[in-house]
Amino acid sequence: MVTTGKKVKTFIIDGKDVSGTEDQTVIEVCRENNIEIPTLCHLEGLAEVGACRLCLVEIKGSNKLLPACVTKVHEGMEVITASEGLKKYRIKILELFFSERNHICSVCVSNGICELQNLAQRLGMTHVHYPYLFPKFDVDASHERFVLDNNRCILCTRCVRVCDEIEGAHTWDIMGRGIESMVITDLNKPWGESESCTSCGKCVAVCPTGALVEKYKNAVDKSFMYKKDKLKFLPYLTTMREVKNEQS
Amino acid sequence: MSRTITIDPVTRIEGHSKITIHLDDEGKVNDARFHVTQFRGFEKFCEGRPFYEMPSLMARTCGICPVSHLVAGAKACDDILAVRLPDAAIMLRKIMNLSQIIQSHALSFFYLSSPDILLGLDSPVQDRNLGGIVKANPELAKNGILLRKFGQKIIELLGGKRIHPSWVIAGGVSTKLTEEQRKTMLGWIPEALKAIQWTLDTVKPLLENFREEMRTFGNFPSLFMGLVNENNELEHYSGKLRIVDSVGNIIADKLDPQKYFEYIEEKVEPWTFMKFPYYKPLGPDQGSYRVGPLARLNIIDRCGTPLADQEWAEFRDLERGAVLSSFHYHFARLIEILYGIEKIKMLLDDEKILSTHFRAYAEPNNFEGVGVSEAPRGTLIHHYKINEQGLITWANMIIATGHNNQAMNKGILQAAKHFIKHDKLTEGMTNRVEAVIRCYDPCLSCSTHAVGKMPMKIQLVNSCNEIIDELIKN
Ligand code: FES
C-alpha cells in the first residue's frame, strides 16, 4: 500500500526485494507480499501491542529477535522470517501458551475455529514440553449473551483494544501482573453488571480462542456467527480505523 | 487358616481393576470382591463450567462409548432448557446412539470375547485374541471388523469424527441430515445385516459347548432394569424404566427416568471406588439389579423389528422366566446388533428425518436436568444442577458398569466357588473368573469416572491377610 507524501523504503525479506512506506511495519509488508508470519495479538485495524511474540523475525545486524508487528521498515534492512531457529522459538511460545492456562481443545466450544489451535497444528507443535500450570479461573457467565472464560485466555488484549479503540467503551482491561494477569470488565465487576459494556459483541468477535464466546453456543453451531464471521468483521475494523485516522 | 486370591489385573476389559478371592479356614471360597481402586472425580471438575459444555465434557469420561455420554448429557441439557425436541433431532440422536451400541458390542464380542467362545477358555493365552480368531475363523473376524466399522462409519458421517463428536448438543443436533448422507448410510445396511446374521448362525451352536459356564457364569437371580418404549419394545434412547425380577415378573413399570433418585439409591463400600446402586423399595441386597443387553432383552415384550424378534424368541427360550446366566450377555449383544441395524434402517426410511427442524433453541428454564439413555453396557444417568448464570454447581452420573457392580461381585463369587477348589491359582481357573467380569464388558474408567491405567494381578490371601499365591497378568 503506497500512499502519497510518505517516503518509500526498499529492503529485503527472505532474499526477496520488497518495498513499503516509512510508516509501515514489517508484518504489513510481509502480508502484502504473501509472506506468512504467524500472529496472534496482531489484528488489522487495531493498535499493535507486540504481546504474543509469535511474529518474531531476524533482522541482519541486530543481535535480538524483533516482533514484526511493531517493527517499522527501514531502508536496506534484511529480514528473515522463517529460519529453523525462529520455527523452534515459535513452537516454544505456543507451548508456553498451552501450559499457562487450561486449553483443552477437545472440550472447548471453539474447537476447530480457534486461532491458537490452528497455529499449533500449522506450525507442527506436537507436545507441550513445559509442565502445565492448571490455574483455576472462574467462568463469568453473568452477561446475558456472552461468557468470559479466563481459562482459555492468551492475554492477546484484542478485546481490550477493540472495545477501547473501535467501540469506544473501554469496558475491558488487564488486571494483575505476569502470568497472573487476567482480562476484567469495568473495575473487575461481573460482566453482567458492567455499566460501560454496550453488549456490541466486538470483543467476542475478535477473541482468537474460546475465552470470549456467545452463550449456549459452540463451534459446530451454525449460529456461532461472531467467531466464524471474523473474516467479514475484519474489513469493518480496517474501515473504522481509516475513518478515525482521517478525523485526527 | 482362611486365604484370599487376588486377580490383578483383569485383562481384556476396558479399564483396570483387581479381584481378590477370600478363602475361609478350610480353604474354601468364602467371598470375592471386585476392587476398583482408581478415582477420577469427573463430577467434581465440571463444577463451574457452563452447562451446555457438559455433553462434550462428559463424553471425555470414556474413549469407548463417548456417544452414550454425549446423548445422556445432551438429554440432561434438554431438560434444563425445558424444550420439546424436533422429531428429526430425536431420530438422528437415536441413530447415533444405536451406532455406538453396535460398534461397542462388536468390539466386546468379536475382539474381546469371541476368542474364549471360539477357541475355548483353556486354549493357550497367546491365541485367545483377535489374531487367534483370524487364524481359526477368518470369516468371523472379517464380520466383526465389518460390524464395528459400520457403527463407526455412521458416527463419523453424522458427527464428523469417530471419537468424541460434538454434533449432539443441548436442544438437538447441530446439522441437518442430507439426502446424500441418508443414501450412503442406507447403502451400508445390507452388508451389515448379512454379517450379523451369519455370525448369529455360526455362534449360536458354539454356545452349546459352554453348558457348565452357563450354569456357573454369573447365573443367579437378580432384578433387571432398562428402558422400554411406549409399546414395551426395546428402546435405547427414550421411554420409561422397567424393572423385572428373576422369574420375569414386572415389579416396577413406567418409572419416570427423570425421577431416578426417588427409586434408586447408591451404597458405598470402603474397598472400592465404585458405588453400588440398588432399587430403593427392596433394599441394598434384594434390590440389586443388572443392566445392559441381557437386562434389556429380559424386560421387553418384544424387540420391535422383525429379524431381531425371531432371535429374541430363541433367546427367551433359553431359560424359563428371565435369562439369568451372564454368559448370555454375548448372545444378547449379537441380537442387539441385529436390532440396531434394522432400527437404523427404519429411522432412515422415514422422510421426517430430513427435516430442517433439528434443533430447539432456548435459555435455561430449569435449575436441574436429568438425562437417561441406554449405553452399550446399560442404563446411563446424567444429572446436573446449575446456578442462575447457567454454570454447573453439581453433577452426578450413574454409569452402566456401576449398576452391574453388585452383580459382578456375585458373579465372581459364584464362579470362584465353582472353579477354585485348591489354594493354587491356575490359568484356566483365573480365566473363568475374569471371563465372568468380561461378560459385563465393564467399563471401569467410566464407572469410577477415573483417568489413567492401573495394572492388575491375581492374589490369594489367607485369613490373616497374607498373600499366599499371586498371578500377574499382562
Ligand atoms: S503478533 Fe506480533 S507480537 Fe503478537
Side-chain angles (χ1 to χ4, degrees):
Chain A
M1 186 177 39
V2 179
T3 326
T4 41
K6 283 175 187 155
K7 287 208 182 97
V8 174
K9 309 279 179 189
T10 54
F11 56 103
I12 298 170
I13 302 179
D14 294 340
K16 187 174 159 192
D17 289 317
V18 293
S19 65
T21 56
E22 55 184 345
D23 61 340
Q24 277 191 300
T25 58
V26 173
I27 201 106
E28 284 175 291
V29 179
C30 282
R31 297 260 150 113
E32 280 173 22
N33 289 282
N34 295 324
I35 297 166
E36 258 203 70
I37 297 185
T39 55
L40 273 177
C41 67
H42 162 85
L43 192 66
E44 207 178 316
L46 298 181
E48 304 289 1
V49 286
C52 74
R53 316 308 275 183
L54 270 170
C55 66
L56 289 176
V57 291
E58 289 170 13
I59 291 178
K60 272 231 173 100
S62 162
N63 57 358
K64 44 184 188 187
L65 304 174
L66 293 170
C69 65
V70 290
T71 304
K72 289 264 151 65
V73 304
H74 58 81
E75 189 63 38
M77 78 198 299
E78 263 183 65
V79 184
I80 297 166
T81 68
S83 68
E84 281 313 306
L86 283 172
K87 282 186 199 158
K88 271 194 211 135
Y89 281 129
R90 286 182 188 139
I91 289 178
K92 280 192 184 141
I93 292 167
L94 282 174
E95 289 180 16
L96 285 166
F97 275 126
F98 277 92
S99 67
E100 233 172 68
R101 299 274 162 112
N102 303 305
H103 298 283
I104 303 161
C105 300
S106 56
V107 299
C108 178
V109 286
S110 283
N111 188 4
I113 54 164
C114 169
E115 291 181 41
L116 180 66
Q117 183 190 35
N118 288 347
L119 267 189
Q121 283 168 349
R122 224 178 67 209
L123 302 191
M125 186 191 100
T126 52
H127 290 83
V128 173
H129 295 89
Y130 305 97
Y132 286 94
L133 297 180
F134 297 119
K136 174 115 185 63
F137 286 102
D138 286 336
V139 176
D140 182 354
S142 57
H143 193 281
E144 232 192 310
R145 289 165 51 208
F146 309 120
V147 179
L148 161 65
D149 188 352
N150 267 301
N151 292 295
R152 294 166 180 163
C153 176
I154 55 162
L155 298 168
C156 69
T157 70
R158 282 186 190 178
C159 53
V160 177
R161 286 173 284 151
V162 80
C163 186
D164 175 44
E165 297 165 18
I166 309 292
E167 180 64 8
H170 202 131
T171 302
W172 292 102
D173 225 317
I174 299 276
M175 181 180 89
R177 320 198 94 218
I179 52 171
E180 257 132 61
S181 315
M182 54 191 267
V183 290
I184 53 162
T185 43
D186 283 3
L187 290 168
N188 200 21
K189 261 194 199 166
W191 193 357
E193 288 166 32
S194 158
E195 281 147 35
S196 61
C197 174
T198 61
S199 300
C200 70
K202 289 190 181 68
C203 51
V204 176
V206 298
C207 175
T209 67
L212 290 168
V213 285
E214 279 170 277
K215 231 176 191 174
Y216 317 130
K217 303 270 166 73
N218 71 40
V220 289
D221 251 298
K222 266 227 196 78
S223 51
F224 207 55
M225 57 109 181
Y226 278 98
K227 292 227 177 248
K228 285 198 173 157
D229 283 2
K230 203 171 274 167
L231 286 180
K232 285 189 203 151
F233 188 69
L234 287 178
Y236 163 74
L237 282 186
T238 321
T239 319
M240 286 300 286
R241 187 169 73 161
E242 273 160 16
V243 172
K244 231 173 65 181
N245 284 349
E246 272 161 32
Q247 282 165 353
S248 56
Chain B
M1 192 174 59
S2 68
R3 297 143 199 219
T4 308
I5 297 169
T6 309
I7 302 187
D8 186 14
V10 178
T11 53
R12 281 187 289 142
I13 57 170
E14 310 295 341
H16 297 265
S17 62
K18 175 175 92 168
I19 299 168
T20 55
I21 297 157
H22 300 256
L23 305 181
D24 63 11
D25 294 341
E26 276 114 60
K28 282 215 200 93
V29 174
N30 175 32
D31 195 10
R33 285 172 180 179
F34 183 53
H35 303 247
V36 177
T37 47
Q38 46 182 188
F39 184 70
R40 183 148 72 161
F42 244 92
E43 284 105 332
K44 199 72 209 152
F45 76 61
C46 34
E47 277 173 23
R49 299 305 313 168
F51 79 91
Y52 50 89
E53 283 183 11
M54 288 299 277
S56 60
L57 197 57
M58 292 314 236
R60 290 277 145 186
T61 18
C62 183
I64 309 292
C65 48
V67 173
S68 313
H69 289 282
L70 262 181
V71 167
K75 285 188 76 181
C77 289
D78 300 342
D79 197 22
I80 287 175
L81 300 175
V83 289
R84 185 170 71 85
L85 252 56
D87 287 342
I90 296 176
M91 293 161 79
L92 286 167
R93 282 187 185 181
K94 277 187 176 178
I95 292 181
M96 187 87 151
N97 197 39
L98 286 169
S99 309
Q100 168 70 55
I101 288 171
I102 292 169
Q103 78 94 0
S104 171
H105 280 358
L107 174 74
S108 165
F109 181 80
F110 293 96
Y111 291 66
L112 307 177
S113 299
S114 75
D116 289 345
I117 294 168
L118 198 72
L119 309 171
L121 283 161
D122 297 310
S123 62
V125 207
Q126 61 271 21
D127 290 343
R128 268 186 290 124
N129 49 41
L130 192 68
I133 291 293
V134 173
K135 262 189 256 146
N137 192 336
E139 189 67 15
L140 187 75
K142 209 184 87 202
N143 283 326
I145 293 165
L146 184 141
L147 287 167
R148 177 133 199 262
K149 259 221 187 115
F150 172 77
Q152 286 177 325
K153 276 194 300 191
I154 293 184
I155 294 172
E156 199 173 357
L157 186 77
L158 293 176
K161 38 181 176 156
R162 257 197 304 254
I163 308 180
H164 303 308
S166 50
W167 172 76
V168 180
I169 48 175
V173 296
S174 63
T175 45
K176 178 192 172 311
L177 183 75
T178 63
E179 180 60 51
E180 208 184 300
Q181 285 174 316
R182 173 162 87 153
K183 272 215 196 93
T184 311
M185 285 189 273
L186 281 170
W188 293 333
I189 301 265
E191 203 184 28
L193 263 185
K194 224 175 85 203
I196 187 64
Q197 284 179 299
W198 182 91
T199 306
L200 273 160
D201 292 342
T202 311
V203 170
K204 270 188 291 180
L206 288 178
L207 293 174
E208 289 301 306
N209 303 337
F210 291 87
R211 290 255 157 251
E212 190 177 4
E213 279 79 6
M214 280 180 204
R215 268 192 297 111
T216 51
F217 261 51
N219 186 352
F220 51 87
S222 78
L223 306 178
F224 295 94
M225 186 182 83
L227 290 172
V228 294
N229 72 7
E230 63 277 10
N231 302 320
N232 302 319
E233 294 163 347
L234 193 53
E235 177 62 55
H236 298 89
Y237 176 81
S238 38
K240 302 260 190 253
L241 284 169
R242 179 187 261 190
I243 300 177
V244 304
D245 65 13
S246 49
V247 198
N249 294 327
I250 298 169
I251 60 158
D253 203 6
K254 307 219 175 334
L255 295 170
D256 183 358
Q258 243 73 21
K259 300 208 173 86
Y260 77 93
F261 42 86
E262 286 180 2
Y263 48 85
I264 291 175
E265 193 137 302
E266 289 182 283
K267 191 177 71 173
V268 181
E269 291 284 0
W271 44 269
T272 176
F273 275 119
M274 204 158 37
K275 295 177 188 167
F276 292 85
Y278 60 93
Y279 179 54
K280 239 194 223 175
L282 294 183
D285 208 37
Q286 295 296 310
S288 85
Y289 52 83
R290 286 186 259 178
V291 299
L294 187 69
R296 288 193 286 256
L297 295 191
N298 269 332
I299 59 167
I300 49 171
D301 294 354
R302 73 191 76 80
C303 287
T305 60
L307 296 174
D309 268 331
Q310 287 170 20
E311 297 294 337
W312 182 76
E314 267 182 61
F315 169 85
R316 288 309 288 263
D317 275 347
L318 288 171
E319 288 176 40
R320 231 177 294 138
V323 177
L324 299 178
S325 172
S326 301
F327 196 78
H328 294 310
Y329 264 104
H330 302 309
F331 186 22
R333 271 187 204 111
L334 295 179
I335 298 177
E336 280 204 320
I337 293 180
L338 176 60
Y339 165 85
I341 299 168
E342 286 184 284
K343 188 78 190 176
I344 289 175
K345 179 166 186 317
M346 280 164 78
L347 289 162
L348 285 172
D349 281 337
D350 190 333
E351 287 303 313
K352 275 201 297 246
I353 201 161
L354 295 169
S355 166
T356 45
H357 284 293
F358 49 84
R359 171 151 190 213
Y361 290 91
E363 291 188 6
N365 289 299
N366 282 320
F367 281 116
E368 201 171 338
V370 178
V372 179
S373 67
E374 287 289 333
R377 295 160 182 82
T379 316
L380 174 62
I381 304 175
H382 279 219
H383 185 182
Y384 315 144
K385 290 183 187 169
I386 59 165
N387 63 14
E388 308 78 54
Q389 294 190 14
L391 303 179
I392 297 285
T393 55
W394 178 92
N396 186 35
M397 289 195 281
I398 305 183
I399 308 298
T401 304
H403 293 292
N404 283 332
N405 199 5
Q406 183 84 330
M408 274 193 284
N409 278 284
K410 278 193 195 170
I412 295 162
L413 178 60
Q414 192 187 29
K417 272 193 173 151
H418 190 84
F419 288 105
I420 297 177
K421 296 271 160 51
H422 315 283
D423 47 333
K424 270 265 156 271
L425 297 163
T426 60
E427 183 80 18
M429 178 274 296
T430 53
N431 266 325
R432 278 179 174 81
V433 173
E434 282 188 40
V436 171
I437 298 181
R438 266 202 304 280
C439 283
Y440 293 92
D441 190 19
C443 183
L444 302 174
S445 53
C446 286
S447 47
T448 53
H449 321 156
V451 195
K453 299 198 166 187
M454 196 192 73
M456 204 164 157
K457 52 183 175 274
I458 312 168
Q459 285 178 338
L460 185 67
V461 184
N462 65 20
S463 63
C464 318
N465 264 340
E466 290 160 358
I467 299 164
I468 52 167
D469 196 9
E470 190 171 81
L471 210 123
I472 295 168
K473 309 193 72 185
N474 293 310

